[in-house]
Amino acid sequence: MSSETMRTNEVQIVDFAPFIDDTSTTEQKQMVANDILRSFQSIGFVYLINHGLDAEKASSMFDWSRKLFDLPPEVKALAPHPVSGAHHRGYSAPGREKVKQYSESGSESDGVNATELASGQNVLDVVRDIKESFESGREDDDEMPNIWFPDGIFPGFKEACLDFYWACFETEKLILKALALGHNLPQDYFLPYHSQADNQLRLLHYPSIPASLLKNEKASRIPSHTDFCSLTMLMQDNIGGLEVEDPNHAGVFIPVPPVPGSIVVNAGDFLMRWSNNTIKSTVHRVRIPPSLVDGSSSNADTIPSRYSIPYFCGADSSTIIDCIPGTWSTERPKLYSPISVLTNSRVPFAIQAREYVMERLAANY
């Protein structure tokens, strides 16, 4: 572990500054890249500090998020998420989404992970998926166009989302460069596969609720799941509640508490496959903040509101990928054949990647 790297539990905190500093030596950049890759290989998550994403823009986006979710329900409903989950844009009310985790066979888990929200049910009666969200992407995405509020309603919000979207894309490219260097590849190796910015900016709000609703192993604000993109960049407030499953102990979860000024980056299912399973796409969830679990909070009967902003980074759909060089050998053969990004084979079934992504999205609604 480098001198610029620290640990919190099992997720490393890596100082990204030497990698993005033009005055850093090749050795300094390589050390940062190696630290990131090691954390991805061990637990699938890493904290980045001094990551280059403008702190004022991030703070402003959180301000916009709070203003958005403070709007009356009838106003938020003016930019509705379509009934079809495959069109993942616009506003979703609390309880609308039902996060489900897919097994390697392609089947979804059900029961404890699905929120059955009866029409008109009060949000406080919902045990799982107690959150509301707003999704947006690039403006020129004809397949999944953005859904904004009508002109004159919530002015400035659209522009703020798009500005932050593209700021995150610049940080994504830096992380991809580090990931390539960690694999001893040219820094630009992953960039052609992510040139179209097929990404999603998500604003999330978890309303304040009685802690008793989540003091149950089968309940969470977001149930256990993995992401299915290449990378996820997460910005979170100071409330906490994010947990990642220990890859060496199934069912044991490790808190990923807020680290001021950091972004949490995790690998998705697609990157795990791309890396010949050398990188982990780790199960994670959002539950009760540790301060409430251990009783240290002065108001342990109520879980405060939580805000987070994940930015999901997806690969372009028109490129051909093979296992990353260096992740396979005679002793460790390729687990997957070269494929188009449009054909994502999931053992033992083979389905279209776009169909897979759309199915995963749609299954959440």
Side-chain angles (χ1 to χ4, degrees):
M1 191 186 307
S2 74
S3 59
E4 292 86 4
T5 305
M6 302 167 282
R7 277 190 189 275
T8 173
N9 294 324
E10 297 298 324
V11 180
Q12 289 191 41
I13 302 177
V14 176
D15 187 346
F16 204 43
F19 187 84
I20 61 180
D21 187 346
D22 292 336
T23 65
S24 296
T25 65
T26 300
E27 290 76 15
Q28 288 173 319
K29 291 178 180 287
Q30 186 70 58
M31 288 176 68
V32 173
N34 291 347
D35 286 335
I36 293 172
L37 181 57
R38 271 197 297 268
S39 198
F40 271 13
Q41 291 172 335
S42 64
I43 198 168
F45 275 68
V46 66
Y47 291 96
L48 293 185
I49 58 174
N50 301 317
H51 40 72
L53 182 61
D54 189 277
E56 290 187 3
K57 284 190 176 184
S59 177
S60 176
M61 200 68 250
F62 272 103
D63 289 341
W64 277 107
S65 181
R66 293 183 182 95
K67 292 175 185 176
L68 165 70
F69 296 119
D70 280 344
L71 292 173
E74 62 271 18
V75 176
K76 289 182 284 190
L78 295 176
H81 187 295
V83 174
S84 168
H87 188 167
H88 218 46
R89 297 291 186 264
Y91 172 74
S92 295
R96 171 80 191 282
E97 187 181 27
K98 310 181 296 271
V99 171
K100 299 182 181 182
Q101 175 58 24
Y102 273 53
S103 67
E104 282 302 310
S105 67
S107 63
E108 67 187 53
S109 62
D110 50 20
V112 300
N113 285 344
T115 299
E116 301 300 335
L117 182 66
S119 177
Q121 185 176 3
N122 189 296
V123 64
L124 297 185
D125 295 329
V126 183
V127 178
R128 294 168 289 275
D129 288 65
I130 309 173
K131 64 185 184 302
E132 55 184 336
S133 63
F134 189 97
E135 278 82 29
S136 61
R138 55 185 172 86
E139 278 286 78
D140 58 348
D141 188 342
D142 294 331
E143 183 172 354
M144 198 179 299
N146 285 320
I147 298 174
W148 303 111
F149 292 99
D151 291 345
I153 303 296
F154 206 33
F157 175 68
K158 169 183 174 180
E159 292 76 13
C161 287
L162 292 174
D163 180 64
F164 193 64
Y165 180 91
W166 290 111
C168 288
F169 182 53
E170 293 304 311
T171 301
E172 172 197 348
K173 290 188 288 186
L174 293 173
I175 297 170
L176 290 171
K177 286 184 176 182
L179 184 62
L181 191 60
H183 282 97
N184 297 311
L185 297 170
Q187 288 190 34
D188 291 348
Y189 179 82
F190 291 106
L191 298 188
Y193 302 102
H194 298 83
S195 63
Q196 296 176 10
D198 280 336
N199 302 331
Q200 177 184 314
L201 175 66
R202 179 175 233 205
L203 308 180
L204 274 170
H205 172 228
Y206 306 83
S208 176
I209 57 173
S212 59
L213 288 181
L214 297 187
K215 288 182 177 178
N216 183 315
E217 287 300 317
K218 296 181 179 180
S220 60
R221 280 176 155 177
I222 291 184
S224 301
H225 68 285
T226 58
D227 297 339
F228 47 93
C229 50
S230 295
L231 300 169
T232 301
M233 297 162 43
L234 175 70
M235 290 131 278
Q236 53 179 337
D237 64 13
N238 63 355
I239 297 301
L242 176 64
E243 298 179 344
V244 57
E245 188 174 38
D246 186 336
N248 301 311
H249 300 90
V252 176
F253 282 81
I254 301 166
V256 186
V259 172
S262 74
I263 56 176
V264 177
V265 185
N266 67 278
D269 295 347
F270 189 75
L271 183 58
M272 182 176 70
R273 175 203 171 100
W274 202 349
S275 73
N276 203 32
N277 287 9
T278 59
I279 287 174
K280 299 184 186 302
S281 176
T282 317
V283 170
H284 51 284
R285 66 188 184 185
V286 178
R287 296 191 71 245
I288 303 176
S291 62
L292 294 181
V293 174
D294 61 23
S296 61
S297 171
S298 61
N299 189 22
D301 291 334
T302 302
I303 301 177
S305 292
R306 178 179 186 263
Y307 295 85
S308 67
I309 304 176
Y311 183 77
F312 302 102
C313 309
D316 301 344
S317 61
S318 59
T319 54
I320 305 295
I321 69 160
D322 195 355
C323 290
I324 299 169
T327 62
W328 58 276
S329 63
T330 303
E331 293 74 26
R332 185 188 177 90
K334 295 180 183 180
L335 299 176
Y336 311 98
S337 301
I339 59 167
S340 164
V341 176
L342 289 174
T343 56
N344 184 4
S345 184
R346 291 179 59 80
V347 179
F349 301 106
I351 60 175
Q352 294 290 314
R354 183 152 306 230
E355 291 177 2
Y356 166 64
V357 170
M358 295 304 180
E359 185 178 347
R360 288 281 298 266
L361 291 174
N364 291 342
Y365 280 81

